[in-house]
Amino acid sequence: MNHNIPKVTLNDGHKIPLIGLGTVGTKGASGVHELLSAFEKGYRLIDTSTNYENEGTVGEAIRRSSIPREQFIISSKLPGAHHKHDEAIYMIQEQLYRIGLAYFDKYLIHWPNPKDGLYPEAWKALVHAQKYGLIRTIGVSNFLPEHLERIIDETGVVPATNQIELHPYFNQREQRQVHEELGIITESWSPFGRGKNDVFSDEVIKTIAETHKKTPAQVILRWNVQLGNIAIPKAGTEEHQEQNLQIFDFELSTDEMFQMNSLNKSDGRIDNQDPAEYHEYT
Ligand SMILES: NC(=O)c1ccc[n+]([C@@H]2O[C@H](COP(=O)([O-])OP(=O)(O)OC[C@H]3O[C@@H](n4cnc5c(N)ncnc54)[C@H](OP(=O)(O)O)[C@@H]3O)[C@@H](O)[C@H]2O)c1
């Protein structure tokens, strides 16, 4: 079934689907097969990154599909070792050569790496790369409120999206509030906690799922959408790919949203990756 996924309009006027496809572990010939299957089901927003080592796989799937280039929203990220302005521009060009595209639809700074303090310079590079036509929409990932404030102060340019860890046990309420005030759309990475935190067997989520004759995964994605987020679940199997798009035919009540929001844990991160401390040096 080919789903027409609803879209959200970003602060720069671009529209992107509320559900995209994560690609950690999507590699090689099997990865191309998984991507082609996802395209057939209607996925158009594809989240890749240099440190997933699969920009070539994503590019190959795009070339093999019959879907026009302009229908895709291909999103990649700037690795931590390339935050200096000119290195960032060269890196974006290199990634485009690897994926075989003329531009990225969406591009993020992967992590702020605050100890290096180069993320404002990296942000200026993204602003320039957008002007050069290498990127359509620019955003960030794993940026805390202080990182957002600094790049906005230094450039006057507000990111369109901030891709952050967000799942039922770590729902990022305060961070989402900051995004709302700034006009930034929240994009949830690891919306299922990468299957590491047993979220699918949570009794509250299972009960809500039974009420709606849906799966726990579908309830989690529906909760995300009702919070106003984009989510990018990774799904390799056709069944999961299909399921994750069948979330626009039901609605969680105010009480069910409250129950989902109450599952938050202060130490709910799956891998303890606090952006204030975590450094990514691909
Ligand atoms: N910006 C960042 O720093 C950052 C960090 C981490 C991840 N990300 C992005 O976010 C994406 C998603 O996160 P993730 O890959 O860590 O994990 P995830 O999406 O939370 O979970 C993926 C796991 O859930 C399973 N799954 C998918 N749909 C399911 C369903 N309907 N029912 C049951 N199980 C289901 C998948 O299995 P199958 O594959 O077998 O279907 C896979 O094992 C990544 O792939 C990546 O693109 C970004």
Side-chain angles (χ1 to χ4, degrees):
M1 187 167 173
N2 188 332
H3 298 268
N4 198 0
I5 306 167
K7 292 181 177 162
V8 61
T9 305
L10 306 178
N11 62 16
D12 58 7
H14 287 108
K15 291 184 197 303
I16 64 172
L18 291 170
I19 299 291
L21 189 74
T23 66
V24 166
T26 305
K27 291 184 183 186
S30 61
V32 170
H33 176 79
E34 287 173 22
L35 284 158
L36 287 171
S37 144
F39 298 166
E40 253 177 49
K41 291 176 174 49
Y43 288 88
R44 294 293 179 269
L45 167 60
I46 309 298
D47 184 75
T48 179
S49 164
T50 295
N51 73 14
Y52 307 161
E53 297 177 339
N54 64 8
E55 285 162 321
T57 299
V58 172
E60 181 64 17
I62 294 168
R63 274 187 298 282
R64 286 202 207 169
S65 91
S66 54
I67 297 162
R69 164 70 184 98
E70 58 276 13
Q71 285 189 21
F72 285 108
I73 307 288
I74 304 301
S75 186
S76 196
K77 311 187 185 83
L78 182 69
H82 303 270
H83 278 194
K84 286 192 178 153
H85 181 279
D86 292 359
E87 286 181 28
I89 300 288
Y90 285 134
M91 189 66 214
I92 296 164
Q93 289 169 328
E94 175 62 25
Q95 289 168 301
L96 286 169
Y97 298 148
R98 286 181 198 177
I99 203 165
L101 298 175
Y103 62 90
F104 285 115
D105 301 273
K106 184 160 141 324
Y107 191 87
L108 318 172
I109 299 174
H110 203 152
W111 287 87
N113 286 5
K115 283 181 197 140
D116 289 346
L118 291 170
Y119 64 87
E121 192 173 327
W123 182 242
K124 284 172 197 156
L126 262 60
V127 171
H128 293 151
Q130 187 182 37
K131 288 199 177 117
Y132 304 154
L134 301 173
I135 308 171
R136 296 275 157 93
T137 280
I138 53 174
V140 292
S141 179
N142 302 302
F143 271 45
L144 297 172
E146 65 257 34
H147 308 136
L148 293 171
E149 192 184 322
R150 186 153 170 219
I151 59 171
I152 295 167
D153 276 359
E154 290 196 20
T155 62
V157 182
V158 181
T161 56
N162 189 9
Q163 187 182 109
I164 54 174
E165 176 175 358
L166 198 155
H167 40 78
Y169 296 151
F170 196 69
N171 73 30
Q172 301 256 27
R173 190 173 61 84
E174 285 97 11
Q175 177 86 35
R176 283 189 284 113
Q177 179 69 37
V178 171
H179 292 172
E180 211 173 304
E181 283 159 17
L182 292 169
I184 297 170
I185 294 290
T186 302
E187 185 174 27
S188 306
W189 64 253
S190 294
F192 303 140
R194 207 170 291 161
K196 281 185 173 182
N197 59 7
D198 293 333
V199 79
F200 296 132
S201 48
D202 184 284
E203 287 304 325
V204 170
I205 302 176
K206 273 168 61 182
T207 304
I208 297 174
E210 279 159 23
T211 309
H212 292 279
K213 297 193 170 45
K214 292 285 179 181
T215 66
Q218 289 171 314
V219 168
I220 292 168
L221 295 179
R222 181 69 212 181
W223 166 73
N224 252 287
V225 165
Q226 286 187 219
L227 289 177
N229 304 341
I230 300 165
I232 47 165
K234 186 262 167 185
T237 65
E238 293 213 19
E239 186 198 343
H240 289 161
Q241 290 177 353
E242 178 67 32
Q243 230 185 65
N244 296 348
L245 295 184
Q246 290 185 4
I247 61 155
F248 298 103
D249 56 355
F250 76 110
E251 197 171 344
L252 301 181
S253 67
T254 308
D255 179 54
E256 287 167 336
M257 286 299 286
F258 178 79
Q259 289 183 54
M260 292 294 292
N261 292 337
S262 304
L263 297 174
N264 189 57
K265 299 174 185 175
S266 55
D267 61 348
R269 290 188 190 279
I270 45 175
D271 279 330
N272 202 22
Q273 292 173 307
D274 179 352
E277 302 293 331
Y278 184 76
H279 270 219
E280 182 268 330
Y281 286 116
T282 311

